[in-house]
Amino acid sequence: MSLRLRLFLILALATGGIWFSAVLWIEHSTRAQVQQVLDARLAEAARMVSSLLSDRRIAMAGEGAPVAIPLDAHGDYAHQLSCQIWSLQGSLVGQSEGAPQAQLSAAHGTGYSESTVDGETWRVYTVENTTLGVRVMVGDSLAVRDKLVSGVIEGLLLPLAVILPLLAAAIWVSVGRGLAPMHRLAEALRLRSPGDLGPLPAGPVPAEMRPMRAALDGLFGRLAKAREAERDFTAFAAHELKTPLAGLRTQAQIARIAPDEATRARALQNIERSVDRTDRMVRQLLELSAVESAGEAPGHADLGRLSEEICADLTPLAEARGVLLRSDVPQGASAPLRASGFLLHTALRNLVENAVQASPEGATVRISLQGGVLRVEDAGPGIPPELRARVCERFVRGTAGGDGSGLGLAIAAAAMDRLGGTLELPQSIGEGQRAELHLPPA
């Protein structure tokens, strides 16, 4: 169902409901007012007849048929009234034309009453003229009253039958005009090129659409940044892969034309080193992609076991560089995680691998736990002050030279961000650098 049709139905039903309620209220109010007015006319007619009798302007019958009572002084409604004059002894002494033969009201006394005569219900007002010894009764049929009320309601419903279709058309057109800014926005979005991620054109916007417009502009801004980061990532990755590949080609040419065995062996060693560097960078690129797409999997991490596994995995690398790996994380230590444990494993492994790569031969890389902070300490040269602010960016190396790709700290920072924790690199004092993984609170 379209939004326009939904709004139209809501407004049409609401308007129809209000009109229906108004008709019911008018019917009830009109009926009460008509009853009040007609009751007043009954009393007025009865008193008028009693007054005419007292003034001898209407003669009462003595013997024989009752005298006819004229009731033409009040217009058309008077023709619907019936009048009877009864003596206090119970004989009919006068009646109007069309009045029933039976007594209009059997109630004694004066005032209003209702009675059923010949199967028809009457509303009657009675006046006693004690001077003349008669009782004057003026009544009208309730069916006549209902007909009068129905006529009033029909007079309201007939214009309503004409107005409602016009009102529905007006609502349909108004809803369409009200939604016109949304249609213009949709058309502007449809006509935008895929590469256009700038803000929407400036112009007057309804207050209700400003949050949506601001959200779209924010989304376009984030998409533009993500696309720019993707382009930079692709360019940096291509450059970083090109460098070892060019070195591999050069060293292969040197090995092929080497004049002696020592030159050939050195070239092959450089080839192996370039392959290792390329392999590490490809692995880190895959890890970075996995970190950015890791889903939610809350649980607990066994920090002691995690630290030992990483040390076991990196022992061959550490032995090749003459570095000792040491884990001081107590057994049984655990921490709650808000996301996949793969993220913490990736962050800690990259920090330890960076520490091994940065440490000189004979140094020790130590993993420890203090409170909710995992620490990795090395004996390397540390991070230069001029690089400290950018060291967690992709392809930014924290040390001059070396075989790193500049992805390790970026991966660790991204993984901790997904976990809800942080990576901190305190200022090194003396030799070495300390990296801290602040785990998220429970």
Side-chain angles (χ1 to χ4, degrees):
M1 182 184 294
S2 67
L3 182 60
R4 182 179 187 180
L5 180 58
R6 181 177 298 178
L7 288 175
F8 169 77
L9 292 177
I10 291 174
L11 292 175
L13 291 175
T15 304
I18 292 174
W19 274 82
F20 182 72
S21 300
V23 169
L24 292 180
W25 178 78
I26 291 174
E27 191 274 340
H28 177 75
S29 175
T30 302
R31 184 177 298 276
Q33 292 179 11
V34 167
Q35 296 283 9
Q36 185 177 5
V37 170
L38 295 185
D39 281 353
R41 299 298 295 273
L42 283 180
E44 180 183 355
R47 294 191 184 101
M48 180 193 68
V49 172
S50 178
S51 176
L52 292 175
L53 289 174
S54 297
D55 294 342
R56 304 295 180 178
R57 298 173 65 181
I58 297 178
M60 291 187 299
E63 298 288 340
V67 67
I69 307 298
L71 283 178
D72 56 354
H74 299 292
D76 292 338
Y77 175 67
H79 295 294
Q80 308 295 333
L81 298 179
S82 294
C83 179
Q84 292 179 342
I85 304 173
W86 293 81
S87 68
L88 297 180
Q89 288 74 28
S91 61
L92 180 64
V93 297
Q95 66 178 3
S96 63
E97 182 180 358
Q101 295 300 317
Q103 187 172 342
L104 284 175
S105 177
H108 298 286
T110 62
Y112 295 103
S113 62
E114 291 186 7
S115 61
T116 302
V117 180
D118 298 332
E120 188 175 6
T121 304
W122 291 76
R123 177 76 167 169
V124 182
Y125 187 82
T126 303
V127 175
E128 285 189 0
N129 191 327
T130 55
T131 303
L132 301 177
V134 296
R135 181 179 292 113
V136 179
M137 300 178 184
V138 178
D140 62 356
S141 172
L142 293 185
V144 174
R145 294 191 174 198
D146 292 338
K147 185 176 180 180
L148 290 174
V149 175
S150 300
V152 174
I153 300 302
E154 288 177 3
L156 294 174
L157 293 179
L158 288 177
L160 179 62
V162 178
I163 292 174
L164 278 182
L166 297 177
L167 183 61
I171 291 175
W172 180 262
V173 174
S174 300
V175 170
R177 293 180 63 86
L179 294 177
M182 186 178 298
H183 293 309
R184 289 195 294 268
L185 176 61
E187 185 66 14
L189 292 175
R190 187 182 67 83
L191 296 176
R192 286 170 74 96
S193 64
D196 185 4
L197 295 177
L200 293 170
V205 179
E208 293 79 6
M209 290 184 59
R210 289 172 190 167
M212 180 174 65
R213 183 186 178 96
L216 285 173
D217 286 341
L219 175 61
F220 289 150
R222 293 193 297 273
L223 287 175
K225 290 181 180 179
R227 177 172 290 186
E228 183 180 359
E230 183 179 350
R231 286 197 299 264
D232 293 343
F233 178 80
T234 303
F236 288 146
H239 179 269
E240 291 297 325
L241 285 172
K242 183 178 179 180
T243 300
L245 290 176
L248 281 172
R249 180 181 180 85
T250 301
Q251 295 301 324
Q253 292 173 346
I254 292 175
R256 183 166 55 86
I257 64 174
D260 53 59
E261 190 64 28
T263 302
R264 182 179 295 106
R266 189 164 52 253
L268 291 174
Q269 184 179 8
N270 289 334
I271 289 175
E272 184 179 0
R273 181 179 178 185
S274 295
V275 170
D276 290 341
R277 177 183 176 185
T278 305
D279 176 73
R280 183 187 178 207
M281 186 173 63
V282 170
R283 176 176 54 79
Q284 287 183 322
L285 289 173
L286 294 175
E287 285 183 349
L288 183 60
S289 176
V291 165
E292 291 178 343
S293 61
E296 299 288 335
H300 280 75
D302 188 335
L303 301 181
R305 181 178 178 183
L306 176 64
S307 177
E308 288 185 353
E309 288 179 355
I310 292 175
C311 287
D313 290 343
L314 296 177
T315 293
L317 175 64
E319 290 178 348
R321 299 185 64 87
V323 176
L324 176 64
L325 284 177
R326 176 182 169 186
S327 173
D328 292 337
V329 180
Q331 293 295 324
S334 64
L337 299 179
R338 300 180 183 176
S340 172
F342 161 78
L343 295 172
L344 182 58
H345 182 280
T346 302
L348 185 58
R349 178 190 171 93
N350 276 276
L351 291 185
V352 175
E353 188 173 2
N354 275 8
V356 171
Q357 295 281 358
S359 296
E361 186 177 356
T364 299
V365 173
R366 179 172 175 261
I367 308 173
S368 61
L369 176 66
Q370 289 192 6
V373 180
L374 273 172
R375 293 181 173 180
V376 178
E377 298 171 290
D378 61 48
I383 300 173
E386 64 273 13
L387 294 178
R388 186 168 293 276
R390 299 179 54 245
V391 74
C392 288
E393 297 178 8
R394 297 172 181 179
F395 302 106
V396 176
R397 295 186 177 91
T399 57
D403 296 330
S405 61
L407 288 173
L409 292 178
I411 293 173
M416 292 306 295
D417 184 64
R418 294 296 301 275
L419 277 173
T422 56
L423 166 64
E424 294 186 7
L425 302 168
Q427 184 73 37
S428 57
I429 301 176
E431 293 185 355
Q433 175 67 47
R434 184 172 78 244
E436 297 180 348
L437 297 178
H438 290 253
L439 303 176

